[in-house]
């Protein structure tokens, strides 16, 4: 079918912009997931062990962010922050918005996992003289990770999908790159399918990573 | 002479409820004291105050002369710094009713953690100390097993090894056999008896009256947040002076065992 060859021709011609788009999507997602997870652990700690004012602050933060559409967060960090003097380019603003979104979700996941660990674990750790920091690192985190993992994989996949929203503020990630190719070639269906397959591949990778960590942290018995 | 443990006028409230209403207790080095009493009498709470798993509102606890948990500066009583409390907790070892082994670590890993992180022992030294104690509780051949792969009695013996490997001045046992199937109780009690023979100072909250009779140098009967009666096992079990203790013993398993 000549149609297919035409698509492959166009795909070959568009390979560099699409590859750049994919690279940007992966970079945005990876940055947001890494920074969001890092920040989310602290949000979760504040939610679980923080003194009352800090706990309320963290609670307000997570409820507010989780109740806000990601698109609104993206637009706000791009357009609103500049009015208060924080000048971010589209990429930075987008990553910031996704990081904030991710941190609130991870914070909630971490809180749930920490609260699910029996109190006896912390007491036993205290009883042998471990400090809170040591208890957290050697006793609580290893047990929380297995609890966190499945939901964290979901959140990470959500972040990859949410990265498409950055196309609105002109970040040339995979979706915007695809749309630009389509506007040149008018082959919307095959290129959207192609982009969809790439998103799937990225998320499949995340899921495999989750399974790998799950296998590594399985406790016999 | 200074005692190993000195409890003076200990008061503890949970909200409105006063659980400990002025407990006094002295314990010499090498003593084995069993604490008996009905549930809600405050015996577990007293034990938990000694290593600051519970805060207490009045009175003082001293181990080897050191005041535990609180200090009074300029007439104001305040909680010590967390790092200081962590250090003081290492003066005592504690075994719990629910074992509380770390499920993601092997038996050896459980015993070794405190040695490496709190005692700052080198890895090899920590391993050999941990193995020695696992051997003492008869579980050296299980050192690579995870808690989920061990029976309740075995888990409790690992938990005791974990506490005692830290070389505490005083061991606290909180109803360590209450969560065990009857046929697993003896192996744990045997471990405690061995430690008593070695001269380990131990404060044991227990419902096992026959064991208390056999192992302790002194028995304390707690009743409604106070010490109701104290004495040698013979005085306590054979000639209870108070009505309350006689009443309590009548309903306990000791009578049934006789």
């Amino acid at each position: 079918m000549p149609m297919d060859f035409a698509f492959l021709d166009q795909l070959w011609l568009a390979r560099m912009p699409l590859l750049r788009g994919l690279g940007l999507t992966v970079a945005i997602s990876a940055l947001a997931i890494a920074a969001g997870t890092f920040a989310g652990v602290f949000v979760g700690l504040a939610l679980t062990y923080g003194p009352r004012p800090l706990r309320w602050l963290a609670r307000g933060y997570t409820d507010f962010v989780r109740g806000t559409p990601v698109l609104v967060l993206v637009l706000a960090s791009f357009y609103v922050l500049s009015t208060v003097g924080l000048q971010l380019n589209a990429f930075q603003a987008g990553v910031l918005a996704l990081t904030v979104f991710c941190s609130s979700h991870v914070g909630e996941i971490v809180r749930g996992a920490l609260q699910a660990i029996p109190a006896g674990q912390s007491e036993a750790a205290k009883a042998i003289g471990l400090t809170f920091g040591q208890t957290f690192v050697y006793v609580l985190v290893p047990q929380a990770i297995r609890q966190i993992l499945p939901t964290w994989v979901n959140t990470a996949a959500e972040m990859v999908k949410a990265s498409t929203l950055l196309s609105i503020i002109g970040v040339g990630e995979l979706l915007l790159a695809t749309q630009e190719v389509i506007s040149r070639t008018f082959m919307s269906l095959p290129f959207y399918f192609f982009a969809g397959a790439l998103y799937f591949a990225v998320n499949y990778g995340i899921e495999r990573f989750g399974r790998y960590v799950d296998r590594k942290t399985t406790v016999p018995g | 002479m200074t005692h190993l443990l000195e409890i003076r006028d200990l008061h503890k409230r949970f909200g409105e409820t006063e659980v400990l209403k002025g407990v006094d207790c002295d314990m010499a080095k090498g003593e084995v004291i069993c604490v008996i009493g009905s549930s809600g009498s405050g015996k577990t709470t007293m034990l938990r105050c000694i290593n600051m798993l519970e805060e207490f509102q009045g009175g003082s606890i001293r181990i080897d002369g050191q005041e535990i948990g609180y200090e009074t500066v300029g007439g104001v009583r305040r909680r010590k710094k967390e790092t200081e409390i962590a250090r003081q907790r290492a003066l005592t070892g504690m075994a719990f009713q629910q074992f509380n082994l770390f499920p993601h670590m092997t038996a050896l890993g459980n015993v070794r953690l405190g040695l490496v992180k709190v005692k700052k022992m080198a890895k090899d030294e920590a391993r050999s100390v941990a193995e020695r104690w696992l051997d003492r509780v008869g579980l050296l051949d299980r050192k690579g097993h995870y808690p989920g792969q061990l029976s309740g009695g075995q888990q409790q013996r690992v938990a005791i090894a974990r506490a005692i490997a830290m070389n505490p001045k005083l061991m606290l046992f909180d109803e360590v056999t209450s969560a065990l199937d009857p046929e697993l109780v003896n192996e744990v009690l045997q471990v405690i008896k061995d430690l008593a023979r070695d001269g380990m100072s131990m404060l044991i909250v227990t419902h096992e009256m026959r064991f208390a009779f056999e192992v302790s140098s002194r028995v304390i009967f707690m009743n409604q947040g106070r010490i109701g009666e104290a004495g040698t096992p013979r005085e306590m079990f054979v000639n209870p002076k108070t009505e309350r203790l006689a009443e309590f013993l009548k309903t306990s398993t000791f009578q049934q065992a006789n």
Side-chain angles (χ1 to χ4, degrees), chain A residues 119-131 134 138-140 142-143 219-221, chain B residues 48 51 53 86 89 92 96 100-105 113 117-118 120 146 148-149 162 166:
Chain A
Q121 291 291 308
S122 297
E123 291 184 353
K126 281 180 188 170
I128 54 174
L130 294 180
T131 61
Q134 290 172 326
Y138 302 113
V139 177
L140 301 179
Q143 297 186 58
V219 173
Chain B
R48 289 167 60 86
N51 68 356
L53 288 182
R89 281 193 180 111
T92 56
F96 300 84
N100 297 343
L101 286 181
F102 306 131
H104 58 292
M105 292 180 191
L113 181 67
K117 300 302 171 191
V118 179
K120 312 285 180 201
Y146 286 85
Q149 299 169 314
R162 174 177 70 180
M166 298 295 292

Side-chain angles (χ1 to χ4, degrees), chain A:
Chain A
M1 284 208 332
M3 178 66 191
D4 284 347
F5 289 113
F7 168 64
L8 290 179
D9 280 345
Q10 291 299 335
L11 185 61
W12 180 248
L13 284 174
R15 68 191 185 279
M16 288 322 283
L18 287 180
L19 214 56
R20 266 198 300 276
L22 177 66
L24 213 47
T25 288
V26 170
I28 292 163
S29 309
L31 276 173
I33 292 168
T37 302
F38 184 75
V41 168
F42 289 97
V43 173
L45 274 174
L47 284 172
T48 321
Y49 304 112
R52 205 160 284 164
L54 184 63
R55 209 158 65 219
W56 284 341
L57 200 69
R59 170 57 49 217
Y61 170 80
T62 50
D63 286 355
F64 178 75
V65 171
R66 293 196 314 153
T68 310
V70 195
L71 180 56
V72 173
L73 289 175
V74 171
L75 293 173
S77 82
F78 187 51
Y79 291 112
V80 179
L81 285 183
S82 62
T83 64
V84 295
L86 190 59
Q87 223 29 275
L88 298 179
N89 65 32
F91 177 82
Q92 293 165 336
V95 169
L96 176 66
L98 294 184
T99 299
V100 166
F101 182 69
C102 184
S103 71
S104 71
H105 278 262
V106 171
E108 199 56 33
I109 298 168
V110 167
R111 181 196 60 77
L114 288 175
Q115 286 182 345
I117 299 173
Q121 291 291 308
S122 297
E123 291 184 353
K126 281 180 188 170
I128 54 174
L130 294 180
T131 61
F132 177 76
Q134 290 172 326
T135 303
F136 183 67
V137 172
Y138 302 113
V139 177
L140 301 179
V141 168
Q143 297 186 58
I145 280 184
R146 289 188 51 75
Q147 199 107 37
I148 288 168
L149 210 56
T151 3
W152 182 85
V153 166
N154 278 344
T155 303
E158 284 301 323
M159 299 312 296
V160 175
K161 292 188 257 176
S163 72
T164 56
L165 295 170
L166 271 55
S167 62
I168 306 281
I169 53 171
V171 177
E173 44 69 70
L174 181 56
L175 181 66
L176 190 59
T178 303
Q179 284 171 334
E180 281 166 3
V181 172
I182 289 171
S183 65
R184 206 166 55 234
T185 61
F186 300 106
M187 293 176 170
S188 53
L189 202 60
F191 274 107
Y192 274 132
F193 261 112
F194 185 73
L198 289 180
Y199 279 113
F200 174 77
V202 172
N203 277 342
Y204 186 72
I206 292 176
E207 208 233 309
R208 296 302 304 184
F209 173 72
R211 287 193 189 198
Y212 169 78
V213 177
D214 187 65
R215 237 187 359 262
K216 283 280 165 193
T217 54
T218 299
V219 173

Side-chain angles (χ1 to χ4, degrees), chain B residues 88-99:
Chain B
Q88 289 191 328
R89 281 193 180 111
L91 295 172
T92 56
M94 185 158 186
F96 300 84
Q97 185 175 355
Q98 300 295 339
F99 332 134

Side-chain angles (χ1 to χ4, degrees), chain B:
Chain B
M1 103 183 205
T2 63
H3 290 97
L4 171 65
L5 173 69
E6 285 181 5
I7 301 178
R8 288 285 172 274
D9 198 28
L10 182 63
H11 284 263
K12 160 75 187 168
R13 277 192 312 274
F14 287 110
E16 292 295 293
T17 322
E18 191 163 39
V19 189
L20 298 176
K21 302 168 184 168
V23 173
D24 291 272
C25 174
D26 286 333
M27 182 175 175
K29 193 169 179 305
E31 264 198 296
V32 177
I33 296 184
C34 279
V35 186
I36 60 173
S38 49
S39 2
S41 60
K43 38 190 205 312
T44 289
T45 305
M46 177 181 77
L47 212 64
R48 289 167 60 86
C49 285
I50 294 172
N51 68 356
M52 284 297 284
L53 288 182
E54 300 288 353
E55 309 203 317
F56 50 95
Q57 288 79 28
S60 67
I61 298 174
R62 285 171 191 277
I63 296 175
D64 252 3
Q66 283 187 51
E67 180 150 9
I68 300 296
Y70 297 90
E71 58 196 350
T72 308
V73 181
V76 181
R77 179 177 186 265
R78 64 171 187 219
R79 198 180 152 96
K80 290 186 177 176
K81 284 205 202 74
E82 282 312 305
T83 48
E84 174 66 7
I85 287 176
R87 196 189 60 74
Q88 289 191 328
R89 281 193 180 111
L91 295 172
T92 56
M94 185 158 186
F96 300 84
Q97 185 175 355
Q98 300 295 339
F99 332 134
N100 297 343
L101 286 181
F102 306 131
H104 58 292
M105 292 180 191
T106 61
L108 184 70
N110 266 277
V111 182
R112 199 173 45 183
L113 181 67
L115 298 173
V116 175
K117 300 302 171 191
V118 179
K119 295 268 178 198
K120 312 285 180 201
M121 275 185 196
K123 281 238 161 75
D124 291 344
E125 191 191 357
R127 166 181 279 269
S128 73
V129 170
E131 285 180 347
R132 196 163 70 235
W133 280 105
L134 283 174
D135 195 23
R136 269 298 300 275
V137 299
L139 289 171
L140 188 56
D141 59 333
R142 297 279 195 277
K143 66 177 179 182
H145 285 53
Y146 286 85
Q149 299 169 314
L150 300 171
S151 74
Q154 291 171 334
Q155 288 187 52
Q156 191 59 289
R157 283 147 66 197
V158 173
I160 292 171
R162 174 177 70 180
I164 230 157
M166 298 295 292
N167 195 22
K169 292 179 183 298
L170 169 65
M171 264 302 293
L172 309 169
F173 293 87
D174 182 17
E175 298 187 27
V176 287
T177 58
S178 297
L180 293 176
D181 292 336
E183 73 269 24
L184 302 177
V185 168
N186 266 330
E187 59 185 83
V188 173
L189 295 184
Q190 197 52 50
V191 165
I192 301 176
K193 283 180 185 169
D194 284 351
L195 294 170
R197 206 167 301 136
D198 283 4
M200 184 82 215
S201 312
M202 301 193 277
L203 193 57
I204 304 169
V205 170
T206 185
H207 290 294
E208 302 284 337
M209 295 303 151
R210 173 158 289 281
F211 165 74
F213 183 77
E214 288 168 6
V215 79
S216 34
S217 48
R218 247 181 334 138
V219 176
I220 289 174
F221 169 62
M222 287 202 61
N223 183 33
Q224 296 179 351
R226 292 196 176 85
I227 290 183
E229 193 173 335
T232 66
R234 191 150 291 280
E235 289 166 358
M236 297 285 284
F237 289 114
V238 182
N239 295 312
K241 287 198 260 311
T242 60
E243 193 61 28
R244 287 291 311 159
L245 176 57
E247 199 61 28
F248 172 75
L249 290 174
K250 211 176 282 176
T251 56
S252 73
T253 48
F254 183 70
Q255 289 294 330
Q256 288 153 22
N258 272 325

